[in-house]
Amino acid sequence: MRQISLVALAASLAGTGLAHAENTDAHETIVVTGTRVALAAERLPLRVDVLDRERIELEGITSLNEALQRFPGLSVVQSGALGATSSLFTRGTNAKHTLVLFDGIRLNDASTPAGQFDAGQDILGDIERVEIARGPLSALYGSDAIGGVINLIPRLGGEEAVSPWLDISTGSFNSLRMSAGASGSVDRFSYGISAEHFQTDGFNVTPARMALSGNERDGGEVTTLTFNGAYDLTNGFTLTGLFRHRESASAFDTFSGGPGFSQRADDPDLEVSRYDQTVWRTGIDWQRADGGFASTVRFGEVITDRESRNGLQVTDTYSARRTFAEWLNEWRPGLSGFSEPVIAFGLQLERDSIRNDTAFENPISRAEGHVGGYASITAGLGEAFDVTASARIDDFEGFDTETTWAVGGVFTLPGTPAQLFARYGTAFKAPTLSERFASSAFTTPNPDLRPETATSWEIGARSAFDLGRDNFATLSLSYFETGIENLIENVFDFTTFTGTNQNVGRADISGWELAGTLSLGATLQLDADYANVDAINAVTGTQLLRRPRHAWSAGARWTPVDALSLAARYQRTGSRRDVTYDDGGFFVSGNAPVAGYDLVHVSGQWRFHEAITAYATVTNALDETYEQPAAFAGAPRAVMVGLRARY
């Protein structure tokens, strides 16, 4: 039987595809993020991993980085503790090739040189679930969505008028986390509101093996305030509003230590003293009484401000403002010859402006806009075959129009739950304002840069096995290939001693993924996930940096009694290539092998009162010494204990 995701509006979802259900409870509905609409999971030819609130709490996951690290195929590289800069490589693509959304709002930072999202800044107290759609999705979302799309869905509504919660924990490195909020539904009003603060003294991010590593800790802190609301105006109209403000700060160390100012070393004065982001959106939705047509009009802003300091001196400032407006539609017509057709279409307008002033580049102040329109259809051709197709046109103020498209299908083997699926799509990454206009004594701007473009195809199979018990096991296997052209790289001219960004790079990426779950009765659930990614620089033939060829994850959840739950997870990050430094802290190579590492996390929670739960989490339980990225110490063993109250 086909299952429909329980979501309020399809336009708030990210990605396209099947949610890899980690919770094997037979009463759970598989969450689906469709082609901007809510669709049955088995109709769509794409994998979407989902991490819900229940699993976030059970595994003691507090940050977005921790959430993403548990999924092989996503290489998360964080240069320190909480608040430190992070990069995300999805299916072997570059860090700027993953689009991150907050309830459908584009978060990628226009003020950064490559316009990428920094996953090190977000904590998860206000998040109901994290959805990770893999593969090219520019045909729905435009620029950046080459490797995939990640959507952070905030809490909203509930069965009760007021469902408050309070969560307090403390632990290693003088860490303290506090979260409070409430959600619910009162008559025609649904809401979610929260406040969260997380601070830690952190650990020394200069590895102990290096000569100039001292005892200075590099800590960080994050504070987040969120409101999400919807008010039913009757006659099918709903007024919506969303606000989120996040502030973060973190310390980091230098690569300019020692007598020659060329060594990796401790530096207590360096910090990202401010990394603020404000997101707001308001709009109105309308849905026909029979649910056959829905339309949304909304607008808002994403405002980002970042500041770095060396002691009392401000060294770099970055500011970005993205204003947007969008008109999104969902139509479920009755078309003869097609089974449950669903059509989505919409129009989106954005304008990005940046104002950067950095130590090594001239100040830059630029703004440009663009408009994009998309259409998508999913339709059944008989009982066993579903087809999904989408297309989008983006018209940019500073360069030409970009057109992307995708098509895929799912075939269910007659009389079985087994499915075969395939998909082909194109995607692109628009050059950023910084890539085109940044200048300095050693940098020449290039306003004529073209978008980076990609083509990708994927085939796979998946099935659920009941064997006398609902959701006894699930298994999925997929193979993909991606080619990227016109990659933007800085080309240095040794005659003029200046560098210029040019479209000269190419990448060839291939890989396969295997994932499964197993439910051994009502008390024990197991899951395992493996990714094999081969990411090659097609110009030089070398492996791309920071993308492991092999990555594993395996987890177990045991609930011996209703009040007690225990969880454990093993993560293996295989060997990869990186920029390396020796034990003296000196540069060695720009592309050298780095050893893999293993991490084990354990957690548990005990509900000793109807409304109060005690919990504990141990990350890196075996206290593995590792570097990710190279020359940055990974987090040592850490213990957090806390209480969670919910009424």
Side-chain angles (χ1 to χ4, degrees), residues 478-482 509-513 531-534:
S478 58
Y479 175 84
F480 62 89
E481 289 190 4
T482 300
I509 304 168
S510 62
W512 57 278
E513 299 165 339
N532 182 306
V533 178
D534 187 19

Side-chain angles (χ1 to χ4, degrees), residues 390-637:
S390 55
R392 180 176 174 122
I393 299 176
D394 287 275
D395 185 22
F396 291 85
E397 183 179 329
F399 45 90
D400 292 338
T401 297
E402 196 69 29
T403 301
T404 49
W405 59 275
V407 62
V410 179
F411 178 70
T412 302
L413 300 179
T416 76
Q419 293 184 315
L420 305 176
F421 63 91
R423 186 174 185 268
Y424 182 92
T426 64
F428 76 100
K429 169 70 172 78
T432 67
L433 292 169
S434 290
E435 286 174 329
R436 295 168 62 209
F437 298 110
S439 64
S440 70
F442 302 101
T443 302
T444 301
N446 182 3
D448 297 323
L449 284 174
R450 304 185 307 277
E452 302 175 343
T453 58
T455 58
S456 182
W457 62 270
E458 177 178 0
I459 58 174
R462 62 196 179 212
S463 186
F465 307 91
D466 288 343
L467 300 182
R469 184 189 309 123
D470 287 335
N471 290 331
F472 171 76
T474 64
L475 186 66
S476 67
L477 173 66
S478 58
Y479 175 84
F480 62 89
E481 289 190 4
T482 300
I484 309 177
E485 303 282 343
N486 297 323
L487 283 169
I488 297 171
E489 298 180 359
N490 191 271
V491 178
F492 194 79
D493 186 334
F494 286 94
T495 302
T496 62
F497 288 96
T498 60
T500 305
N501 287 327
Q502 298 181 22
N503 294 101
V504 296
R506 293 184 292 116
D508 290 329
I509 304 168
S510 62
W512 57 278
E513 299 165 339
L514 177 66
T517 65
L518 181 63
S519 178
L520 301 177
T523 62
L524 181 61
Q525 289 82 41
L526 308 175
D527 67 82
D529 203 337
Y530 169 75
N532 182 306
V533 178
D534 187 19
I536 302 294
N537 183 323
V539 176
T540 65
T542 58
Q543 292 281 337
L544 295 175
L545 302 183
R546 298 178 177 176
R547 277 149 270 205
R549 180 68 181 267
H550 306 280
W552 280 91
S553 175
R557 182 180 64 175
W558 182 42
T559 309
V561 295
D562 287 344
L564 178 65
S565 296
L566 303 172
R569 181 158 300 278
Y570 163 77
Q571 296 173 201
R572 168 68 181 176
T573 299
S575 61
R576 59 227 178 270
R577 303 188 77 84
D578 206 339
V579 179
T580 57
Y581 293 78
D582 64 18
D583 290 350
F586 293 103
F587 172 81
V588 174
S589 172
N591 189 322
V594 177
Y597 60 91
D598 304 274
L599 298 178
V600 175
H601 310 305
V602 295
S603 59
Q605 57 184 22
W606 173 44
R607 191 180 68 252
F608 63 89
H609 182 274
E610 181 180 359
I612 304 176
T613 299
Y615 63 90
T617 303
V618 184
T619 55
N620 191 5
L622 303 182
D623 204 21
E624 175 94 343
T625 299
Y626 67 100
E627 296 177 19
Q628 176 70 321
F632 290 82
R637 179 169 52 223

Side-chain angles (χ1 to χ4, degrees), residues 98-392:
T98 300
L99 175 62
V100 180
L101 310 170
F102 184 79
D103 199 31
I105 302 172
R106 180 185 297 267
L107 294 183
N108 291 40
D109 187 353
S111 72
T112 61
Q116 67 192 58
F117 175 79
D118 184 349
Q121 312 306 314
D122 284 285
I123 47 182
L124 301 179
D126 60 343
I127 302 302
E128 182 61 33
R129 67 187 186 276
V130 180
E131 302 179 357
I132 304 164
R134 307 192 190 203
L137 289 164
S138 287
L140 293 173
Y141 299 103
S143 179
D144 305 347
I146 293 178
V149 173
I150 297 171
N151 199 8
L152 312 180
I153 309 296
R155 304 190 195 207
L156 175 66
E159 297 180 358
E160 303 295 331
V162 181
S163 297
W165 75 86
L166 176 66
D167 193 332
I168 300 176
S169 59
T170 187
S172 302
F173 318 125
N174 293 322
S175 299
L176 175 65
R177 175 178 170 268
M178 298 177 290
S179 177
S183 61
S185 300
V186 183
D187 295 328
R188 301 198 301 265
F189 179 58
S190 298
Y191 68 94
I193 186 170
S194 67
E196 184 174 22
H197 179 75
F198 191 4
Q199 66 183 48
T200 178
D201 288 350
F203 54 90
N204 189 358
V205 300
T206 300
R209 67 179 177 85
M210 292 185 174
L212 298 183
S213 174
N215 297 316
E216 180 252 341
R217 290 183 173 183
D218 301 289
E221 60 179 322
V222 180
T223 301
T224 305
L225 304 173
T226 306
F227 169 79
N228 191 18
Y231 185 76
D232 182 2
L233 299 172
T234 71
N235 296 321
F237 289 94
T238 302
L239 181 66
T240 63
L242 176 66
F243 174 85
R244 188 187 199 227
H245 179 72
R246 187 206 67 212
E247 298 180 358
S248 64
S250 63
F252 61 95
D253 285 336
T254 185
F255 282 88
S256 303
F261 302 103
S262 59
Q263 288 176 273
R264 182 84 169 107
D266 273 359
D267 191 329
D269 294 326
L270 296 178
E271 63 174 340
V272 178
S273 56
R274 184 166 60 91
Y275 199 155
D276 299 347
Q277 185 181 78
T278 300
V279 178
W280 69 267
R281 182 185 67 198
T282 188
I284 191 164
D285 308 329
W286 177 78
Q287 186 172 29
R288 203 168 66 192
D290 64 0
F293 188 83
S295 187
T296 296
V297 176
R298 55 194 185 187
F299 61 93
E301 286 185 310
V302 180
I303 304 169
T304 306
D305 291 295
R306 185 158 40 101
E307 178 183 272
S308 297
R309 289 179 177 268
N310 186 347
L312 299 178
Q313 180 183 2
V314 176
T315 57
D316 307 280
T317 61
Y318 301 83
S319 296
R321 179 183 295 267
R322 174 178 296 124
T323 57
F324 65 88
E326 52 192 6
W327 176 48
L328 312 174
N329 303 274
E330 173 188 340
W331 181 28
R332 297 178 181 265
L335 298 178
S336 176
F338 296 95
S339 174
E340 301 180 39
V342 182
I343 298 172
F345 61 95
L347 186 67
Q348 297 177 298
L349 297 90
E350 286 185 357
R351 184 170 183 81
D352 282 332
S353 60
I354 67 170
R355 187 182 297 273
N356 296 349
D357 190 358
T358 70
F360 299 104
E361 290 184 334
N362 299 326
I364 178 174
S365 179
R366 286 278 178 171
E368 283 186 351
H370 95 276
V371 59
Y374 71 92
S376 175
I377 182 171
T378 297
L381 305 178
E383 290 297 321
F385 190 51
D386 278 290
V387 173
T388 298
S390 55
R392 180 176 174 122

